Amino acid sequence: MANHLTGKSVFITGAGGGFGRLIAENAAALGAKVTCADIDGEAASQTATMIANTSGAALAVKVDVTDLSAMKAAVEQAVESQGAVDVMVNNAGVMPLAFFSDHEAAHDKWTRCLDINIKGVLNGITAVYDHMMTKGSGHVINISSIYGNFPVVGAGVYGATKAAVNYLSESLRVETRGKIKVTIVKPTGVPLTGLSAGVVNPEAVVGILGQNTPEFLETMQALEEGEVEKARLDAADIDCRVLDPAHIADQVIHAMNQPPGVSVGDITVRAAGDHYIL
């Protein structure tokens, strides 16, 4: 496959760890100039340093995605440093799964989730919109989730934010056709990213697991104890049940690394043997 990323400027939110760090590293390895944005400035700097140590080009910026003026300033900094922003990856997100009956414990986290997962994505789009439209080309990649596919118990708020990401993305695609490409990436559960640390009520995962809940919980317990069968973690095995974060990053890079006239619109990435029913 031809490399269409060399020299491109890629801006990634939530690049201090998880998917964001992997996407940044992989894009830089293909010759992209990367802006590593994160609310944790030290984590963003660590990612940028890791890239620089492998002869890549990276800029670290500390930014809160819920602050539009800060996002615009960060994009301006990337344009000044790297000449443009060709690709915006709206990756920052949180996952406070909880039932509505958990509202006392969950309300503050739900509010933050709405701010980051919806407002943060909208701010990322807004921050690059004029720049990309003026130069006549660009690519926005929004990280959504299978939770956005259908409402289930335990994910009313989180699922709603991801459904909103899908709507924002498709609307942007229609409005900017021929100038801004738009990609939605929908991972299934990826326990190894640390995203599950934001879960308010662990029992709320039942909505996305249904009849597979007991087997999933057994797998997670075995994983935590280091006793899970190696095949269940092996992408070479058809019954792989736990997706490695690197496979999500690979698909983001795949969508990014296309000719200007080819747009990958929607990607769902699963472990072939995962337990998720959506």
Side-chain angles (χ1 to χ4, degrees):
M1 181 178 178
N3 181 5
H4 300 282
L5 272 174
T6 301
K8 290 286 185 69
S9 172
V10 180
F11 190 109
I12 305 162
T13 67
F19 297 143
R21 174 169 286 177
L22 290 168
I23 295 165
E25 291 175 334
N26 292 352
L30 288 172
K33 298 173 288 186
V34 179
T35 299
C36 306
D38 203 287
I39 195 168
D40 183 338
E42 183 176 344
S45 294
Q46 289 172 354
T47 301
T49 298
M50 291 167 66
I51 291 170
N53 288 341
T54 57
S55 301
L59 168 71
V61 292
K62 179 178 180 179
V63 65
D64 180 349
V65 297
T66 69
D67 183 338
L68 178 58
S69 61
M71 281 293 290
K72 286 183 174 180
V75 168
E76 288 175 5
Q77 187 177 348
V79 171
E80 182 177 342
S81 173
Q82 300 180 343
V85 171
D86 299 301
V87 184
M88 165 62 81
V89 183
N90 289 308
N91 164 71
V94 293
M95 189 178 71
L97 300 182
F99 301 107
F100 286 106
S101 57
D102 296 317
H103 61 85
E104 289 289 348
H107 185 268
D108 288 347
K109 289 187 176 182
W110 281 342
T111 299
R112 182 168 176 264
C113 177
L114 292 168
D115 284 344
I116 294 173
N117 292 12
I118 301 179
K119 189 176 177 182
V121 170
L122 179 59
N123 287 346
I125 292 169
T126 303
V128 296
Y129 180 86
D130 289 347
H131 171 68
M132 289 182 176
M133 291 298 284
T134 297
K135 72 187 185 75
S137 66
H139 189 181
V140 172
I141 300 176
N142 294 329
I143 307 300
S144 181
S145 167
I146 56 170
Y147 268 110
N149 291 344
F150 196 82
V152 295
V153 299
V157 174
Y158 179 67
T161 67
K162 292 306 184 178
V165 169
N166 298 344
Y167 270 71
L168 287 170
S169 302
E170 291 294 354
S171 296
L172 178 66
R173 177 186 64 81
V174 173
E175 287 190 24
T176 62
R177 64 184 185 85
K179 288 194 174 182
I180 298 178
K181 301 195 293 188
V182 181
T183 301
I184 307 167
V185 179
K186 299 176 182 176
T188 61
V190 188
L192 300 177
T193 62
L195 191 62
S196 59
V199 171
V200 176
N201 185 343
E203 294 183 8
V205 297
V206 68
I208 202 172
L209 293 166
Q211 71 275 11
N212 296 324
T213 300
E215 188 177 356
F216 172 82
L217 294 177
E218 287 177 11
T219 300
M220 289 303 102
Q221 183 175 350
L223 181 64
E224 200 171 295
E225 295 172 355
E227 297 178 356
V228 69
E229 296 177 56
K230 289 184 179 180
R232 303 294 78 82
L233 304 176
D234 186 358
D237 192 290
I238 189 63
D239 196 22
C240 176
R241 299 179 187 180
V242 181
L243 199 65
D244 190 297
H247 293 115
I248 304 294
D250 287 345
Q251 296 309 310
V252 175
I253 295 297
H254 170 72
M256 203 184 290
N257 192 14
Q258 298 294 325
V262 177
S263 180
V264 178
D266 192 317
I267 302 177
T268 297
V269 190
R270 300 182 179 277
D274 77 23
H275 299 90
Y276 307 104
I277 61 177
L278 292 182

